[in-house]
Amino acid sequence: MDQELYSKERSASLDLLLRFQRLLVSKLYPADCVGQVPNIYSPDLLGVGSLLKKYTALLCTHIGDILPVATSIASTSHRHFAEASRVVDGDLTGILLPELVVSVVLLLSKNAGLMQEAGAIPLLAGLLEHLDRFNHLAPGKERDDNEDLAWPGIMGSFFTGQSCRNNEEVTLIRKADLENHNKDGGFWTVIDGKVYDIKDFQTQSLTGSSIL
């Protein structure tokens, strides 16, 4: 109920901005025109691109002012982070920015030349540092990062009580030892000078043993 009330309080102005943002994107989205000369754009299209750049600059200025304050508050405790995240999620940062980024990437894939002419992308890139600082305060961030980087069957032991230090204190394995182990039905492999047992992963993999 609190979230519903919060949504109603901010919906009028944000809905208007969101509609305006979508209008800009729709005007820039390329139509399937036969015989159109590439990299030659009409003055109207360039005007919309210029307007998108001004809109993005204003949005980025606002977000650049909001995020450092949110980061300062969120760094106090997990509870403060949750509350700051709720406010940011209902602000321009959480409503307009995600859709704008996706739209710009889409436009870039469809018409890179026009987006380079518009010049909105470098403005968005300037927010990366602010967003990164705020996101690094999220509870469980390190666990999520490790899970994103993990390879199932190899890195799983790192998160089941076995510390990295224990994994470093391993016996030296010679090449002959590895070959003999694999001849006996094992599945050891060497990655960056370290030996990994991927036997369990072999049974889970859909790619087949030959690729592994």
Side-chain angles (χ1 to χ4, degrees), residues 5-69:
L5 180 62
Y6 188 70
S7 298
K8 289 177 181 177
E9 286 177 354
R10 51 85 172 164
S11 62
S13 58
L14 278 179
D15 278 352
L16 186 61
L17 285 171
L18 190 56
R19 286 169 185 246
F20 177 69
Q21 178 175 297
R22 289 173 177 173
L23 179 64
L24 289 176
V25 172
S26 67
K27 293 293 184 183
L28 289 170
Y29 193 83
D32 295 328
C33 297
V34 180
Q36 185 176 0
V37 181
N39 299 327
I40 297 180
Y41 311 110
S42 68
D44 290 345
L45 204 57
L46 292 174
V48 176
S50 177
L51 195 56
L52 177 66
K53 181 180 180 180
K54 291 179 182 178
Y55 169 82
T56 303
L58 291 171
L59 182 63
C60 290
T61 299
H62 171 80
I63 295 173
D65 291 339
I66 292 293
L67 279 179
V69 178

Side-chain angles (χ1 to χ4, degrees), residues 25 29 52 97-112 115 120-121 124:
V25 172
Y29 193 83
L52 177 66
L97 182 62
E99 187 170 315
L100 179 62
V101 170
V102 172
S103 299
V104 166
V105 170
L106 176 63
L107 291 170
L108 187 63
S109 68
K110 293 291 184 179
N111 198 333
M115 292 308 296
I121 296 173
L124 290 170

Side-chain angles (χ1 to χ4, degrees), residues 73-134:
I73 296 170
S75 63
T76 308
S77 68
H78 290 338
R79 184 178 177 182
H80 284 78
F81 177 84
E83 190 62 25
S85 297
R86 186 184 72 84
V87 174
V88 168
D89 192 47
D91 183 64
L92 305 183
T93 310
I95 304 297
L96 301 178
L97 182 62
E99 187 170 315
L100 179 62
V101 170
V102 172
S103 299
V104 166
V105 170
L106 176 63
L107 291 170
L108 187 63
S109 68
K110 293 291 184 179
N111 198 333
L114 178 60
M115 292 308 296
Q116 288 175 357
E117 288 280 346
I121 296 173
L123 299 173
L124 290 170
L127 294 176
L128 288 176
E129 187 176 347
H130 294 303
L131 291 167
D132 200 43
R133 286 178 182 171
F134 184 80

Side-chain angles (χ1 to χ4, degrees), residues 160-173:
T160 55
Q162 199 172 8
S163 68
C164 295
R165 180 174 297 179
N166 291 335
N167 280 274
E168 289 173 359
E169 297 171 358
V170 293
T171 307
L172 180 66
I173 297 175

